[in-house]
């Protein structure tokens, strides 16, 4: 009897002894950091259509990026109505990679903040390198929609300094793509400021 009682103190049962599939993760996935940087590199090349890997809106080349995102967020899917639609593909991919970076920040605050800086720089640079003006507008809209509406801020770190750096990086993307003072930039900045509160 005493041994049973002592074992309960040493090894307490969590959650009434039943574990559910909805339990939150207790540790960071071991490949998350490397997958984040791989996804950043792949997405930048995909946005610009460079390196012979296809381009946003071609209906197939997003799949390698989506597979990498789905390792960490298996429920993320691209609906059939979005396949081949440049803006819709960009929205899903940008939101997924952003969530990967936010997940990294949850476990390692400053590493996540640095990854977010790298991610936002890659987005701006990828948009800048797009040659076709018709695609450039769709990609810009997809980037801002993906960041503003497809990102789960519940994944973000609780560390104050890292959180400020992440929000600052995300707020800067629209003004760097559309130009400071534009309505898109002001709307995105207001949205991210409100998410910080």
């Amino acid at each position: 009897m005493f041994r049973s009682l002592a074992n309960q103190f040493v090894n307490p049962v969590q959650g009434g002894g039943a574990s559910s599939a909805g339990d939150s993760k207790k540790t960071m996935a071991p490949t998350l950091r490397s997958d984040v940087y791989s996804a950043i590199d792949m997405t930048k090349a995909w946005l610009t259509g460079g390196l012979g890997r296809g381009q946003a809106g071609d209906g197939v080349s997003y799949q390698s990026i989506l597979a990498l995102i789905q390792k960490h967020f298996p429920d993320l899917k691209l609906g059939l109505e979005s396949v081949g639609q440049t803006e819709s593909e960009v929205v899903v991919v940008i939101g997924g990679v952003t969530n990967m970076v936010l997940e990294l920040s949850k476990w390692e605050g400053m590493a996540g903040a640095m990854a977010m800086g790298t991610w936002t720089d890659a987005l701006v640079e990828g948009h800048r390198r797009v040659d076709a003006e018709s695609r450039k507008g769709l990609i810009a809209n997809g980037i801002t929609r993906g960041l503003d509406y497809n990102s789960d801020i519940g994944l973000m770190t609780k560390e104050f300094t890292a959180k400020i750096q992440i929000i600052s990086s995300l707020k800067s993307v629209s003004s760097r793509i559309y130009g400071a003072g534009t309505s898109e930039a002001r709307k995105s900045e207001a949205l991210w400021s409100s998410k910080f509160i």
Side-chain angles (χ1 to χ4, degrees):
M1 181 172 127
F2 178 71
R3 183 174 293 167
S4 172
L5 186 60
N7 282 337
Q8 287 179 355
F9 287 122
V10 174
N11 301 318
V13 176
Q14 300 290 328
S19 66
S20 66
D23 286 347
S24 63
K25 296 184 215 173
K26 304 289 185 224
T27 60
M28 181 175 85
T31 61
L32 180 61
R33 184 188 303 245
S34 62
D35 288 347
V36 162
Y37 286 101
S38 294
I40 289 171
D41 292 339
M42 291 166 65
T43 303
K44 182 178 174 183
W46 176 71
L47 286 174
T48 62
L51 305 175
R53 294 183 184 168
Q55 63 184 8
D58 66 8
V60 292
S61 60
Y62 68 88
Q63 292 174 348
S64 60
I65 304 167
L66 192 63
L68 193 59
I69 296 167
Q70 287 174 332
K71 281 176 57 177
H72 305 282
F73 299 99
D75 294 337
L76 181 71
K77 294 186 179 26
L78 184 65
L80 287 176
E81 69 281 351
S82 299
V83 174
Q85 305 268 337
T86 302
E87 186 175 338
S88 298
E89 286 182 7
V90 172
V91 167
V92 171
V93 169
I94 299 302
V97 176
T98 304
N99 285 343
M100 287 173 67
V101 177
L102 292 173
E103 175 77 11
L104 175 62
S105 80
K106 180 168 97 175
W107 300 106
E108 299 175 0
M110 289 311 290
M114 290 187 296
M116 188 60 77
T118 302
W119 172 231
T120 56
D121 290 345
L123 289 175
V124 172
E125 182 66 19
H127 175 263
R128 188 184 65 76
R129 289 186 180 178
V130 174
D131 293 331
E133 283 301 315
S134 60
R135 289 185 62 241
K136 203 168 190 130
L138 294 172
I139 289 173
N141 290 339
I143 289 171
T144 53
R145 280 183 49 213
L147 291 176
D148 294 350
Y149 303 110
N150 267 21
S151 301
D152 182 3
I153 61 165
L155 298 170
M156 193 183 318
T157 183
K158 303 297 182 218
E159 294 177 33
F160 183 74
T161 306
K163 193 172 192 175
I164 292 222
Q165 287 181 337
I166 290 169
I167 295 287
S168 177
S169 292
L170 290 168
K171 281 171 57 174
S172 73
V173 172
S174 288
S175 63
R176 291 167 63 192
I177 288 177
Y178 291 108
T182 60
S183 64
E184 292 89 352
R186 288 194 314 267
K187 184 168 63 171
S188 182
E189 186 171 324
L191 182 85
W192 281 106
S193 295
S194 70
K195 287 183 179 183
F196 180 67
I197 299 170

